[in-house]
Amino acid sequence: MAELPFSTLDTLDPKGKRILLRVDLNVPMKDGKVTDETRIERIVPTIRELAEKGGRVILLSHFDRPKGKVVPDLSLQPIATALATALGRPVSFAHDCIGPDAEAAARSMQDGDILLLENTRFQPGEEKNDAGLSAALASLGDVYVNDAFSAAHRAHASTAGVAAHLPSYGGRLMQAELEALYAALENPERPVGAIVGGAKISTKLQLLENMLAKVDMLAIGGAMANTFLAAKGLQVGKSLIEKDMLDTARTIMEQAQAKNCDLVLPVDVVISEDFIAGAPTQVVPVTSIPDGWMALDVGPETVKLLQSKLSGLKTLVWNGPLGVFELPPFDEGTNAVAQAAAQLTQEGKLKTVAGGGDTVSALRHAGVLHKMSYVSTAGGAFLEWLEGKVLPGLTAISTTLEKTLPI
């Protein structure tokens, strides 16, 4: 087991303590109802453990982007109901995250109670990591626990600043995320590979460069693969490419060769003249993409190649789909490779760690979301970890990392 850079709940006796627990309740909503409860389900174990051990659990979360103003439609109050249902126990609600209402609600708590405070981003100081707001939040609790890895890339008052005022710990979800990422990239069982998809090299450049230093095999999919193909001198028709990134793609290929990293590009693609449902398609080698056609998915030979590569790995990190999976039939490549990875995982032959918004959606679409070793819902924080960046929310609660950030 990896040595984590923060204290876990194993070292905390919560009984009788007010536990200021940062979670991520930024969940999809429609007509006042939660439409995807994945993030709620992920934080239930930490909340339940602290409450059952006699902690007085005070929940902090942001929701959407109210930009420091009170926006009634962005209140967390409807989410308190969904959270109570998931927990099977009452969740009370305070109509502010600081001030008299929050203070009175926190004072009235008994052991085992759960209180949700209002959207932290209603406060203009939240995203500025304001020292006054950090202190005001901290005054509500005796202990701070961060269970929001998905917000750990933000140096905000509720994710970083408050930790300077209270004894700090990582929650069970934070622990699970870090253990999965450490196992995948810091101390992986080798050979280790990565699948990186998406539209643009420019948005994944740091990720690709960091992966080259850590993995034995790097497979490129999605529209960014078109730019690599074009950088090799191939004609890619009207496929989406980044012309200003051709030199960068060539540099990445050279770096991969220098580092003895097996860089895998598509060998065939599914093409169409139109990006619409039901449009005629063809499968062609990447050397034979006609003018006026665009590559929208990897082809069957590429799927076979990737399946073969997967069978030789012990660890896989996945970020980004291989094609435009939202529009059949351009989901077939992602589906087939995801199902192969899931089968190897279920057979105990491969550890798979996946994350990123489109990745979660693609794996759910492929029917394998719960068949991977770990799927992160963290989005931006997951990406920044893969890029090798420092995460302020993680640094703030760390017992081993140097706290060089303003907290």
Side-chain angles (χ1 to χ4, degrees):
M1 191 71 69
E3 182 180 350
L4 298 174
F6 51 78
S7 299
T8 71
L9 299 188
D10 294 339
T11 61
L12 171 64
D13 177 8
K15 185 171 177 57
K17 296 184 178 73
R18 296 170 301 157
I19 313 294
L20 209 56
L21 176 59
R22 183 49 160 99
V23 293
D24 187 353
L25 292 172
N26 191 29
V27 295
M29 300 279 289
K30 186 176 182 181
D31 300 325
K33 301 289 185 183
V34 178
T35 58
D36 183 347
E37 296 195 355
T38 304
R39 281 186 167 169
I40 291 176
E41 292 165 356
R42 292 281 179 97
I43 60 172
V44 162
T46 297
I47 299 171
R48 186 173 284 155
E49 177 180 345
L50 292 170
E52 288 178 352
K53 289 182 177 178
R56 305 177 183 192
V57 185
I58 303 170
L59 301 172
L60 293 171
S61 180
H62 72 284
F63 181 73
D64 212 313
R65 298 181 181 275
K67 298 181 180 179
K69 298 177 181 177
V70 176
V71 181
D73 287 346
L74 301 184
S75 172
L76 284 173
Q77 189 165 13
I79 299 175
T81 303
L83 183 58
T85 301
L87 286 164
R89 56 199 305 158
V91 175
S92 56
F93 182 75
H95 293 277
D96 203 344
C97 64
I98 57 170
D101 191 50
E103 292 165 6
R107 277 196 307 269
S108 67
M109 295 179 76
Q110 303 296 314
D111 291 2
D113 284 354
I114 302 167
L115 167 68
L116 174 61
L117 303 182
E118 184 56 283
N119 192 342
T120 57
R121 287 188 182 173
F122 282 1
Q123 296 292 330
E126 163 70 328
E127 295 185 72
K128 298 173 184 176
N129 197 10
D130 179 76
L133 177 58
S134 299
L137 290 170
S139 72
L140 300 173
D142 304 307
V143 169
Y144 176 68
V145 176
N146 193 335
D147 210 28
F149 178 76
S150 50
H153 58 313
R154 305 297 189 198
H156 292 173
S158 69
T159 61
V162 69
H165 299 274
L166 296 171
S168 300
Y169 301 79
R172 295 303 185 196
L173 179 57
M174 178 75 82
Q175 180 181 349
E177 293 269 3
L178 266 291
E179 286 176 347
L181 289 170
Y182 273 45
L185 287 178
E186 301 308 313
N187 188 28
E189 188 176 357
R190 292 188 178 275
V192 58
I195 293 176
V196 179
K200 296 181 178 181
I201 297 174
S202 55
T203 62
K204 300 272 179 97
L205 180 57
Q206 287 180 286
L207 186 157
L208 292 171
E209 291 175 340
N210 195 42
M211 288 295 100
L212 286 176
K214 293 179 179 289
V215 303
D216 304 299
M217 185 278 290
L218 176 60
I220 307 291
M224 73 166 73
N226 301 331
T227 302
F228 279 90
L229 296 173
K232 294 179 69 173
L234 299 178
Q235 300 300 312
V236 294
K238 63 175 183 179
S239 302
L240 177 65
I241 66 167
E242 292 177 280
K243 292 181 179 178
D244 59 342
M245 297 298 288
L246 294 175
D247 285 342
T248 300
R250 282 187 278 268
T251 299
I252 291 171
M253 288 187 282
E254 290 167 3
Q255 289 174 342
Q257 188 171 11
K259 295 177 184 294
N260 202 28
C261 175
D262 181 16
L263 185 69
V264 182
L265 296 173
V267 294
D268 65 341
V269 286
V270 181
I271 61 172
S272 179
E273 290 182 287
D274 299 297
F275 178 41
I276 56 174
T281 64
Q282 292 184 40
V283 176
V284 299
V286 293
T287 53
S288 305
I289 301 174
D291 288 343
W293 291 68
M294 67 186 92
L296 295 169
D297 192 15
V298 295
E301 292 303 314
T302 302
V303 168
K304 289 179 186 176
L305 174 62
L306 291 174
Q307 289 171 335
S308 174
K309 297 290 184 181
L310 292 181
S311 67
L313 298 177
K314 293 292 186 181
T315 306
L316 174 69
V317 179
W318 190 326
N319 174 255
L322 300 174
V324 191
F325 74 96
E326 302 93 339
L327 187 68
F330 309 116
D331 57 345
E332 292 179 2
T334 301
N335 289 350
V337 176
Q339 287 156 8
Q343 182 175 340
L344 290 167
T345 304
Q346 294 295 301
E347 293 171 353
K349 298 175 181 177
L350 182 67
K351 179 184 287 290
T352 48
V353 176
D358 284 347
T359 314
V360 176
S361 299
L363 296 179
R364 182 183 291 112
H365 178 74
V368 299
L369 188 63
H370 301 293
K371 295 180 180 179
M372 301 302 196
S373 304
Y374 192 81
V375 178
S376 172
T377 58
F382 181 85
L383 280 176
E384 292 198 14
W385 175 276
L386 295 188
E387 291 169 353
K389 292 181 178 177
V390 173
L391 304 185
L394 182 58
T395 303
I397 64 170
S398 175
T399 56
T400 61
L401 299 176
E402 184 180 353
K403 297 190 179 186
T404 57
L405 292 157
I407 59 172

